[in-house]
């Protein structure tokens, strides 16, 4: 439909709740770009760019009021809030909060705070910030009257030393949150209280098969819309792990692994119906489609793929 060129390393994307505007962060830079979406053709028109007050913004999410964009500044260890104007463009930031704590033990990946993700919970009350550098998961609330960030009553929980929390996902209807740890290739299961944002860890599960001995970092996590299954991507093993979710306690059981169909799946996206999973193989330069079995959660390649340079994110309008 369209190739939007002349952009510097766009990475993660977000669409607002009206599905009329799209936002992109840019790796190693310091701003977010806003686009208008033509609802008929899907084509994008550049609106403006806005500084985040930090470097290497890696993730972004539109708050439930559709009035603010929250951004994780990976390299500078901070969270930014950018108001969204009525025309979808971005106003100068309303808040900037540094994340504080003790770095983890990894000599190169954990020298300082590295927030990597900031998804809102299903009720839109709080959002989580897995911090890869500090081995912590922060919890914030957004004050929509002022555009300021407010730490939860328990502002953070610690991960295992060297785990490197990267991305998080929520169960769509039950009080559980799941955090993917990049550096030790695990998923942490938390009981989640949506009233105060507190997290209580219940399980730690590997994203890898027991017989795998190579190097790996985990990247993406997603809970199926049915709430029955969870998926995670492995870079090194180059696979998607599927897990069953116990509806009584939120705990996970590994179901199996499916080749991502390429090298280093940095991201995968579930279509809104939960029928397909699309693996973005960053170094394989392809997007590979899988059909999800609604009864078992298993993945089957459809035979469809798209060749494209270094895919890293998909969002659906």
């Amino acid at each position: 439909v369209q190739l939007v060129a002349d952009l510097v390393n766009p990475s993660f994307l977000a669409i607002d709740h009206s599905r009329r505007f799209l936002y992109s962060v840019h790796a190693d830079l310091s701003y977010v770009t806003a686009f208008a979406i033509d609802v008929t053709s899907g084509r994008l028109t550049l609106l403006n760019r806005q500084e985040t007050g930090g470097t290497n913004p890696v993730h972004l999410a539109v708050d439930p009021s559709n009035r603010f964009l929250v951004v994780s500044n990976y390299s500078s260890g901070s969270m930014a809030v950018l108001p969204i104007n009525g025309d979808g463009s971005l106003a100068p930031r309303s808040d900037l909060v540094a994340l504080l704590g003790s770095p983890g033990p990894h000599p190169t990946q954990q020298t300082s705070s590295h927030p990597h993700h900031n998804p809102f919970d299903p009720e839109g009350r709080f959002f989580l910030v897995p911090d890869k550098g500090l081995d912590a998961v922060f919890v914030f609330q957004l004050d929509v009257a002022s555009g300021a960030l407010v730490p939860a009553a328990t502002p953070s929980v610690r991960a295992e030393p060297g785990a490197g929390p990267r991305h998080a996902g929520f169960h769509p209807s039950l009080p559980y949150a799941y955090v993917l740890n990049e550096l030790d290739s695990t998923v942490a299961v938390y009981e989640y209280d949506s009233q105060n944002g507190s997290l209580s860890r219940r399980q730690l599960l590997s994203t890898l098969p027991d017989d795998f001995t190579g190097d790996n970092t985990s990247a993406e996590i997603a809970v199926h819309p049915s709430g029955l299954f969870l998926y995670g991507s492995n870079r090194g093993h180059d696979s998607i792990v599927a897990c069953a979710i116990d509806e009584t306690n939120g705990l996970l059981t590994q179901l199996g692994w499916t080749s991502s169909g390429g090298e280093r799946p940095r991201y995968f996206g579930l279509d809104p119906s939960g029928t397909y999973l699309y693996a973005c193989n960053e170094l394989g330069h392809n997007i590979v489609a899988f059909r999800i079995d609604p009864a078992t959660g298993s993945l089957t390649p459809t035979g469809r793929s798209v060749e494209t340079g270094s895919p890293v994110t998909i969002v659906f309008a």
Side-chain angles (χ1 to χ4, degrees), residues 213-237:
T213 58
D215 294 330
N216 187 79
T217 56
S218 297
E220 184 53 73
I221 190 171
V223 178
H224 191 268
S226 68
L228 298 176
F229 311 109
L230 176 144
Y231 301 94
S233 67
N234 290 303
R235 299 176 295 184
H237 191 248

Side-chain angles (χ1 to χ4, degrees), residues 269-280:
L270 304 183
D271 83 295
S273 71
T275 304
Y276 296 102
L277 180 150
Y278 296 89
C280 294

Side-chain angles (χ1 to χ4, degrees), residues 2-7 10 33 35 42-46 49:
Q2 183 186 19
L3 176 65
V4 181
D6 300 322
L7 302 176
T33 302
F35 300 90
R43 295 175 67 88
L44 302 177
T45 301
L46 177 67
R49 293 191 172 107

Side-chain angles (χ1 to χ4, degrees), residues 180 184-187 205-213 216-218 220 230-244 252-261 265 268 277 290 296-301:
L180 188 87
D184 69 358
S185 301
T186 61
V187 176
L205 184 73
S206 177
T207 65
L208 295 167
D210 292 338
D211 59 358
F212 180 75
T213 58
N216 187 79
T217 56
S218 297
E220 184 53 73
L230 176 144
Y231 301 94
S233 67
N234 290 303
R235 299 176 295 184
H237 191 248
D238 292 340
S239 66
I240 307 296
V241 61
C243 299
L252 302 176
T253 302
Q254 295 167 338
L255 295 174
W257 291 262
T258 303
S259 169
S260 66
F268 61 86
L277 180 150
F290 300 84
T296 67
S298 63
L299 302 177
T300 302

Side-chain angles (χ1 to χ4, degrees), residues 70 72 79 97-100 115 117-122 124-131 134-143 148-158 165 168 170 177-179 190-201:
V70 179
S72 296
M79 302 302 302
V97 175
L99 301 181
L100 305 177
H117 201 213
N118 49 265
F120 282 87
D121 70 17
R125 186 169 295 167
F126 295 92
F127 65 90
L128 303 185
V129 183
D131 192 311
L134 301 184
D135 279 332
V137 181
F138 291 87
V139 187
F140 285 96
Q141 196 167 20
L142 176 64
D143 183 341
L149 294 179
V150 181
T154 302
S156 67
V157 294
R158 295 291 296 176
F170 290 94
Y178 303 88
V179 176
Y190 293 91
E191 189 171 346
Y192 174 68
D193 189 331
S194 62
Q195 297 303 307
N196 58 26
S198 65
L199 296 167
S200 301
R201 199 173 76 190

